[in-house]
Amino acid sequence: MKLESFVRGQWAAPGRDLIDIRSAVTGDVVAQASGGGLDMAEILRYARTIGGANLRKLTFHQRADLLKKLAQHLTERKDELYKLSFQTGATRTDNLIDVDGGIGTLFVYAGKGRRELPNSTFLIDGAVEPLGKTGTFAGQHIVTPLRGVAVHINAFNFPCWGLLEKLAPALLAGVPVVTKPATVTSYVAHAMVRMIADSKILPDGVLQFIVGPTGDLFDHLTCQDVVSFTGSATTSQTLQRHPVIAREAVRFIAERDSLNAAILAPDAAPGTPEFDLFIKEVAKEMTVKAGQKCTAIRRALAPTAHVPAVIDALHERLSKVQIGNPELETVRMGALVGLDQRRDVLAHVEKLRTEAELVAGDPENFSVEGADKVRGAFLPPLLLHCADPIRATHVHAIEAFGPVATVMGYDGLDQAITLANRGEGSLVASVYTHDPRTASDLVFGIGAFHGRLVLIDRDCAKEQTGHGSPMPHMVHGGPGRAGGGEELGGVRSLQHYMQRTALQGSPAMLTGITGSWIKGAPVVEKDRHPFRYHFEDLDIGQTFFSKERTITLDDIEHFAHFTGDTFYAHMDEEATKGHPFFPGRVAHGYLLLSFAAGLFVDPDPGPVLANYGLDSLRFVKPLQPGETIKVRLTAKEKSPRNKQYGEVRWDVEISTDKGETAATYELLTMNAVRP
């Protein structure tokens, strides 16, 4: 299989100088790749002018729909990706993480795009900021897609997940992608991109795929582009020092080396569920993907008194791991990605052994099922024990990117915190305790050095997703050695591909630009009640002013007895004397809401299908019996949902007959589209 790049809407044949890519299991050539011959400036131009323009025409909901269709398309074809992935040394379980995990990320972002983002092409960020005394000058932040390219450079260990977890937020944000896989597993990514290209789901120019070196790609980047890199610290530092990255202030997201820790708390003694969970998780993280995970556990910290029990339990568990051909059902751990990677891991283990003793596993003496141990890149799980982690340096600095972990003891939580933070920045640490106080001490002791903390105990044991599984809903990344970047984290990750801009102007001007009515902007009054207008006929700023209603003492007492809310401020004049908020008996806040609804609701069947909630409710002024209220109802925002209805957000203000604001909130309704 000769791997081609997919650029400018077509497949580009590889050049003459082909590189053999070998199976991690058999050593046989499974694909050939080459670099060079691609016009990187033209690839970026095509992404910006064609792909970017096509994406920016779409709303967040339309982009989310593309992600869902893509996920469904790949789901139907994932068995082909499984078959190829076996050649990378990955077992079927490993493939579930890579292939299904990547597809699952598309589904999550599709759902979040639909549920959490507006059906528009930009975001309004935060509340309006009054910037003048009279309300004629205000500020509003908006967030818009960058007009550049997201350049994604992925690592070898997750050719599917790595590509898709970067792709999903970029496309949802509205930025086209140029992606480059690690060459050694590029044949899996190539097969997936061919599925995507053949589906024609994505608009032209939205996704381009480069096999081999990036050439002069970085020379043509601008301030509108984003580079997201996953790989070694050395390569990351080289790329970040590129003069164009510095000159153009190109956004650079890095996820790299990480000496992740698992911490067994003092209360999690042998025999407790937390001890068993710790042993299970450390062993799993050593063997899943043959330890080739940026989130794998590299340092297992335990109270010094529990270290012998930890070593014995891990030795027993790891000795049962069957290594071999990942296609076999009996095999739990496959091969490393290649012989070069095996040599690299063994070299790092030798350095670690200057400070730690090998207590489980023998790289020279182990069995392999269904494969050639010499031709395949196999290694057994290698467990080390560092007896003096305080003085040691290698165990806190060298990441053997394979089935390798080091056990180390600590005396007291302060020392555990010190050791965990010696990693100088990690993607993740996991804590095993059933004591919230201990968990709290550890969280606030190591949180600044970690991008994610997993607190695992008996209560969440059945549902917890594990130490090493980044979830698309949560941030993936970490400070310091881990790269200082962030990926995923739900819709937060869109911000990497978007620009926050502060708008300042009159309420009328800001309303006209954002499509969101701001108090102080003109209102529109029509003959009919706003609830009588179908979704597309309703104007932003369309307003209804209600008649007045006076609140009586009988109203308050009836509401109190009818609802059961007999709070003293509503029922006992004497009890409110000297109160910092209440001048006497006052009306219930929810009584005001009920009366407001009665004042503005149009009761007849019509375009308003349902009231499904309210946001930002504030009771500003307590009202006493005898005071009079009225309501202003203004169409603030509209967001299409489907062919039958759309969402309308209404700005509601309850005020007194003297013009004082009593309460404010935003009402949400679903309004029918004109038949």
Side-chain angles (χ1 to χ4, degrees):
M1 179 167 55
K2 292 181 172 60
L3 306 182
E4 301 172 310
S5 295
F6 182 70
V7 296
R8 299 165 60 191
Q10 58 189 357
W11 291 97
R16 294 180 179 178
D17 298 326
L18 295 175
I19 302 169
D20 289 341
I21 304 176
R22 297 183 178 276
S23 165
V25 180
T26 66
D28 296 334
V29 175
V30 293
Q32 291 180 311
S34 72
L38 298 177
D39 187 336
M40 297 298 175
E42 183 59 23
I43 289 171
L44 293 176
R45 186 204 65 79
Y46 188 81
R48 294 182 186 117
T49 59
I50 305 299
N54 284 335
L55 273 180
R56 289 192 298 273
K57 292 176 185 175
L58 305 177
T59 67
F60 291 111
H61 288 192
Q62 290 170 322
R63 297 171 201 157
D65 289 342
L66 292 180
L67 295 180
K68 183 176 181 179
K69 290 177 183 177
L70 200 59
Q72 291 170 334
H73 181 76
L74 293 176
T75 297
E76 294 170 358
R77 292 156 180 81
K78 63 183 181 181
D79 285 345
E80 180 183 337
L81 298 175
Y82 281 3
K83 186 175 181 180
L84 278 175
S85 293
F86 286 134
Q87 299 303 322
T88 71
T91 64
R92 188 169 184 83
T93 298
D94 298 336
N95 289 334
L96 288 173
I97 299 171
D98 186 30
V99 179
D100 293 70
I103 295 172
T105 300
L106 292 179
F107 276 122
V108 168
Y109 272 90
K112 284 186 168 291
R114 269 287 185 172
R115 293 190 307 272
E116 300 178 25
L117 297 176
N119 197 9
S120 66
T121 58
F122 68 96
L123 298 173
I124 294 175
D125 182 25
V128 174
E129 295 286 349
L131 301 176
K133 292 182 179 179
T134 63
T136 62
F137 189 58
Q140 175 72 73
H141 288 96
I142 62 170
V143 186
T144 56
L146 293 173
R147 289 180 167 258
V149 184
V151 176
H152 293 164
I153 301 174
N154 296 311
F156 66 78
N157 51 341
F158 290 104
C160 295
W161 179 84
L163 190 155
L164 296 177
E165 65 93 9
K166 288 182 172 67
L167 179 73
L171 296 195
L172 190 56
V175 177
V177 169
V178 173
T179 185
K180 180 220 168 314
T183 301
V184 69
T185 55
S186 57
Y187 53 93
V188 181
H190 178 273
M192 186 171 68
V193 172
R194 186 170 287 280
M195 293 175 186
I196 294 172
D198 290 347
S199 74
K200 304 293 185 182
I201 292 172
L202 298 181
D204 290 343
V206 166
L207 175 62
Q208 297 181 83
F209 176 77
I210 297 173
V211 176
T214 54
D216 64 350
L217 176 68
F218 275 45
D219 293 340
H220 307 290
L221 296 176
T222 74
C223 68
Q224 290 294 297
D225 300 318
V226 181
V227 175
S228 183
F229 169 85
T230 300
S232 71
T234 302
T235 304
S236 172
Q237 292 162 19
T238 299
L239 295 178
Q240 282 182 288
R241 286 194 292 265
H242 193 285
V244 174
I245 297 290
R247 187 188 71 220
E248 300 292 329
V250 177
R251 300 186 189 190
F252 194 97
I253 304 165
E255 188 246 292
R256 58 193 200 194
D257 299 355
S258 186
L259 275 298
N260 310 300
I263 304 174
L264 183 70
D267 66 287
T272 64
E274 287 70 35
F275 181 89
D276 295 339
L277 289 165
F278 174 82
I279 297 301
K280 180 180 179 180
E281 199 68 19
V282 173
K284 184 180 78 172
E285 288 298 308
M286 290 179 68
T287 53
V288 169
K289 291 290 287 189
Q292 297 168 115
K293 292 171 57 184
C294 55
T295 54
I297 294 170
R298 306 299 177 194
R299 299 175 300 151
L301 280 59
T304 300
H306 299 336
V307 166
V310 166
I311 292 174
D312 289 345
L314 284 172
H315 187 285
E316 180 182 1
R317 195 174 188 95
L318 293 172
S319 66
K320 298 176 182 178
V321 174
Q322 181 61 60
I323 307 158
N325 184 341
E327 294 189 66
L328 299 177
E329 292 291 337
T330 55
V331 167
R332 282 190 54 201
M333 189 175 89
L336 276 72
V337 74
L339 295 176
D340 288 344
Q341 181 66 17
R342 185 175 70 177
R343 282 189 287 269
D344 184 69
V345 170
L346 288 173
H348 283 131
V349 169
E350 284 305 305
K351 291 181 181 178
L352 292 174
R353 292 180 73 173
T354 63
E355 297 178 346
E357 175 190 5
L358 187 64
V359 293
D362 183 348
E364 303 298 331
N365 183 23
F366 63 97
S367 62
V368 171
E369 182 179 352
D372 188 327
K373 188 167 72 172
V374 176
R375 288 174 59 83
F378 296 99
L379 267 183
L382 301 175
L383 183 69
L384 298 101
H385 170 228
C386 178
D388 191 0
I390 294 295
R391 295 182 182 179
T393 57
H394 290 335
V395 296
H396 305 298
I398 294 174
E399 182 184 22
F401 204 71
V404 182
T406 302
V407 175
M408 54 192 75
Y410 67 83
D411 298 313
L413 286 185
D414 287 345
Q415 193 173 97
I417 290 167
T418 297
L419 291 174
N421 293 344
R422 285 277 299 277
E424 298 180 353
S426 300
L427 295 170
V428 56
S430 52
V431 173
Y432 303 80
T433 179
H434 198 51
D435 179 12
R437 185 182 296 276
T438 297
S440 178
D441 289 344
L442 288 170
V443 164
F444 295 107
I446 69 176
F449 284 83
H450 294 81
R452 179 167 58 93
L453 298 176
V454 190
L455 310 170
I456 299 177
D457 66 3
R458 66 195 72 177
D459 296 336
C460 67
K462 291 183 179 179
E463 285 194 322
Q464 56 95 8
T465 53
H467 165 102
S469 299
M471 301 300 289
H473 318 69
M474 308 301 291
V475 165
H476 176 52
R481 189 194 305 276
E486 288 186 359
E487 295 177 339
L488 301 175
V491 296
R492 297 173 188 83
S493 56
L494 272 64
Q495 303 287 342
H496 299 308
Y497 303 101
M498 306 183 81
Q499 176 62 46
R500 182 183 292 105
T501 302
L503 302 182
Q504 295 171 266
S506 69
M509 184 64 72
L510 296 181
T511 294
I513 292 171
T514 64
S516 178
W517 185 83
I518 296 171
K519 188 176 181 179
V523 298
V524 179
E525 290 188 77
K526 295 187 178 182
D527 293 338
R528 289 185 295 161
H529 192 288
F531 282 9
R532 306 314 305 165
Y533 290 82
H534 286 90
F535 178 79
E536 62 268 53
D537 298 327
L538 184 68
D539 293 326
I540 295 298
Q542 195 165 331
T543 297
F544 171 77
F545 293 100
S546 80
K547 62 183 181 181
E548 295 181 345
R549 175 167 182 168
T550 300
I551 300 170
T552 68
L553 187 61
D554 286 343
D555 291 332
I556 296 173
E557 292 188 345
H558 175 74
F559 189 86
H561 293 302
F562 185 71
T563 63
D565 180 1
T566 56
F567 185 62
Y568 72 88
H570 312 307
M571 305 300 289
D572 188 343
E573 185 77 28
E574 187 67 25
T576 61
K577 288 183 178 180
H579 197 283
F581 304 127
F582 306 129
R585 291 180 68 177
V586 297
H588 305 70
Y590 298 110
L591 171 60
L592 297 184
L593 292 184
S594 300
F595 280 1
L599 289 171
F600 70 68
V601 165
D602 185 56
D604 296 331
V608 174
L609 302 174
N611 164 2
Y612 75 100
L614 56 84
D615 289 338
S616 306
L617 172 63
R618 292 292 183 273
F619 296 117
V620 180
K621 180 186 184 301
L623 297 183
Q624 293 185 278
E627 293 196 82
T628 299
I629 63 169
K630 57 186 176 181
V631 181
R632 175 188 51 76
L633 175 77
T634 303
K636 179 181 177 67
E637 295 174 6
K638 299 197 309 181
S639 180
R641 288 298 181 186
N642 56 38
K643 294 180 180 180
Q644 294 180 302
Y645 57 84
E647 175 190 294
V648 179
R649 182 176 292 267
W650 305 83
D651 186 277
V652 184
E653 181 179 29
I654 304 173
S655 58
T656 69
D657 55 348
K658 298 176 182 178
E660 300 171 302
T661 300
T664 60
Y665 57 97
E666 293 180 354
L667 174 71
L668 302 172
T669 64
M670 287 298 184
N671 286 39
V673 170
R674 192 185 327 114

